[in-house]
Amino acid sequence: MRDDSADFRALFLKKVPLLDTRAPIEFQRGAFPMATNLPLMTDSERHQVGIAHKAEGQDAAIALGHKLVSGLDREERVALWCAYAKAHPDGFLYCFRGGLRSATAQQWMREAGTPYPLVKGGYKAMRQFLLNAMEEALEAVPVLLVAGRTGCGKTRVIESLAQSIDLEGLAQHRGSSFGGLLDPQPAQIDFENALSIDLLRRHSLGVYRLVMEDEGKLVGRIYLPLSLRKRMEGAARVVVEESIEQRTEIIYQDYIVELAGRYAQRDVATAAEHHRQHLQQGLARIRKRLGGARHQALEAKMQSAFDQGDAALHRAWISDLLRQYYDPMYDYQMAQREGEIVYQGNRSAVTEFLTQHLNRDGVQV
């Protein structure tokens, strides 16, 4: 059998498969992108063992755990672990602290003829490693922000660069009041773990700059870590500039065409109504900031666009929303910023500028 490991850097850089033996509730609170949850105990079993440990001590808790996970339940769980090990021969297993649960799973797998290594220190040690790695990467590598008005295609620029970190992609949210996708956002800790792994990988490759979209404190309901926000404050920026017509078209493609397709893939029969509700709810969330009259006018245009299936009407309410709400908000926010603007241009020009300069040693971007 391969040796147990505490080489967390290698585990994350190599994207090693991880068998997480924690209870489901622990996994839901925070996990790693490469991990699969095949628990030793259910939430209820873990709760009962915890009560026994507090009231009677460790020996009693261990005895209860073996009683609860026995017979057919034990056989089924061991079979799942062994199947995972055979499908992922390069993987490792872990529990919360790399203690009793992972050691028990490892022993049972060995007895079943499938030895499998564990991660020393478990989830807790790996999580702390990632938090430290994030701080190190942010301290060592300067951040460059891609800014620009809503709809200018900042995410498209980010996606085209190997040196970039896609914060909205990691948060599974497009960053606006309308930006929620069909699937729920990850847990806050899941986002932080995924972000830390991305930073670790970029740092290990020796990137000259970390390019990110200029975001606020929140991406949907996900908070950006404080250390990242501090690095973004005053960071240099490149600004994407596009016409209102081009920005309207990008929003139309993302929120009308592409989002409708997502709903259709899930359920064709209900797609149109769910799509309409999604955008109406997004508009409702900014009603107070729009004001009653403007909200009512935009809502009426949106409703007509859906009722008539008219692309021109959709583009009309999108253009109005950009002019009346998002552009004034952007102007206000940019007036508060301190970071130097090092380049401005349309999306193609900005992408070319970044592609050329980010790969040149010593170029001050």
Side-chain angles (χ1 to χ4, degrees):
M1 184 182 79
R2 291 173 292 123
D3 292 337
D4 298 340
S5 178
D7 188 352
F8 309 134
R9 180 178 299 275
L11 293 175
F12 290 118
L13 290 179
K14 295 178 181 178
K15 302 182 182 180
V16 173
L18 297 171
L19 194 168
D20 188 321
T21 64
R22 296 177 300 156
I25 192 171
E26 296 174 281
F27 188 83
Q28 291 164 11
R29 289 171 181 161
F32 305 117
M34 319 91 73
T36 299
N37 187 217
L38 297 174
L40 171 67
M41 293 184 290
T42 65
D43 293 335
S44 175
E45 291 163 351
R46 172 177 172 269
H47 180 64
Q48 294 176 62
V49 169
I51 292 174
H53 188 279
K54 184 176 181 179
E56 305 175 54
Q58 185 179 50
D59 290 343
I62 292 173
L64 177 59
H66 281 278
K67 179 180 178 181
L68 292 172
V69 186
S70 60
L72 185 58
D73 286 338
R74 171 173 164 172
E75 291 177 11
E76 290 177 346
R77 292 172 202 185
V78 172
L80 289 173
W81 297 336
C82 292
Y84 181 91
K86 291 172 183 176
H88 304 91
D90 57 336
F92 288 78
L93 67 86
Y94 66 88
C95 62
F96 183 66
R97 292 186 178 88
L100 187 59
R101 282 185 287 178
S102 56
T104 297
Q106 187 182 54
Q107 178 184 338
W108 290 356
M109 291 178 72
R110 186 184 298 112
E111 292 171 355
T114 309
Y116 210 54
L118 61 78
V119 179
K120 298 176 182 178
Y123 174 84
K124 186 175 182 181
M126 288 189 284
R127 164 77 172 160
Q128 187 59 54
F129 168 81
L130 285 180
L131 292 176
N132 294 339
M134 176 165 59
E135 299 296 331
E136 291 172 5
L138 291 174
E139 182 66 27
V141 186
V143 171
L144 178 64
L145 300 178
V146 178
R149 297 180 185 275
T150 299
C152 67
K154 298 182 291 293
T155 299
R156 288 164 169 78
V157 174
I158 294 294
E159 291 173 343
S160 70
L161 302 171
Q163 302 92 335
S164 67
I165 300 287
D166 184 1
L167 296 172
E168 292 184 359
L170 294 174
Q172 296 177 34
H173 196 282
R174 285 177 170 145
S176 72
S177 299
F178 301 84
L181 302 176
L182 275 64
D183 295 323
Q185 290 188 263
Q188 179 70 33
I189 292 176
D190 286 359
F191 169 80
E192 292 171 3
N193 287 341
L195 171 61
S196 297
I197 292 169
D198 262 10
L199 288 168
L200 175 67
R201 290 173 181 160
R202 300 299 186 277
H203 190 199
S204 71
L205 292 172
V207 299
Y208 180 70
R209 293 266 175 166
L210 289 170
V211 183
M212 303 179 188
E213 186 169 337
D214 192 7
E215 302 282 1
K217 295 180 180 179
L218 285 167
V219 182
R221 61 168 178 76
I222 295 293
Y223 282 91
L224 297 186
L226 180 60
S227 56
L228 174 58
R229 297 207 308 269
K230 287 183 177 179
R231 290 308 306 271
M232 294 172 77
E233 292 176 0
R237 289 171 287 154
V238 295
V239 179
V240 181
E241 297 177 329
E242 296 286 357
S243 69
I244 186 67
E245 293 79 15
Q246 290 168 318
R247 292 162 51 216
T248 297
E249 186 60 27
I250 286 178
I251 297 296
Y252 175 79
Q253 292 298 325
D254 285 351
Y255 287 90
I256 305 302
V257 177
E258 195 266 345
L259 190 58
R262 289 188 183 220
Y263 277 111
Q265 287 177 355
R266 177 165 290 186
D267 186 343
V268 173
T270 62
E273 185 57 29
H274 285 158
H275 185 201
R276 181 200 303 254
Q277 291 175 3
H278 178 107
L279 294 179
Q280 288 175 333
Q281 290 166 1
L283 192 63
R285 279 191 284 271
I286 58 174
R287 179 174 181 173
K288 289 184 178 180
R289 284 173 284 178
L290 278 170
R294 285 194 298 181
H295 174 267
Q296 188 174 9
L298 285 166
E299 187 178 44
K301 284 188 177 182
M302 181 188 289
Q303 185 70 40
S304 295
F306 275 108
D307 288 344
Q308 299 178 39
D310 191 321
L313 289 176
H314 275 302
R315 291 185 174 92
W317 73 257
I318 290 170
S319 178
D320 288 349
L321 183 63
L322 291 174
R323 294 175 187 273
Q324 296 174 18
Y325 177 71
Y326 282 106
D327 286 358
M329 181 171 62
Y330 175 83
D331 291 338
Y332 172 79
Q333 291 172 343
M334 289 304 101
Q336 316 305 311
R337 293 296 307 275
E338 299 178 357
E340 177 189 6
I341 296 176
V342 297
Y343 188 81
Q344 300 179 74
N346 62 28
R347 190 168 71 252
S348 296
V350 166
T351 301
E352 182 179 0
F353 172 80
L354 291 173
T355 301
Q356 289 178 352
H357 291 295
L358 286 173
N359 293 321
R360 295 181 182 176
D361 292 337
V363 174
Q364 298 298 315
V365 177

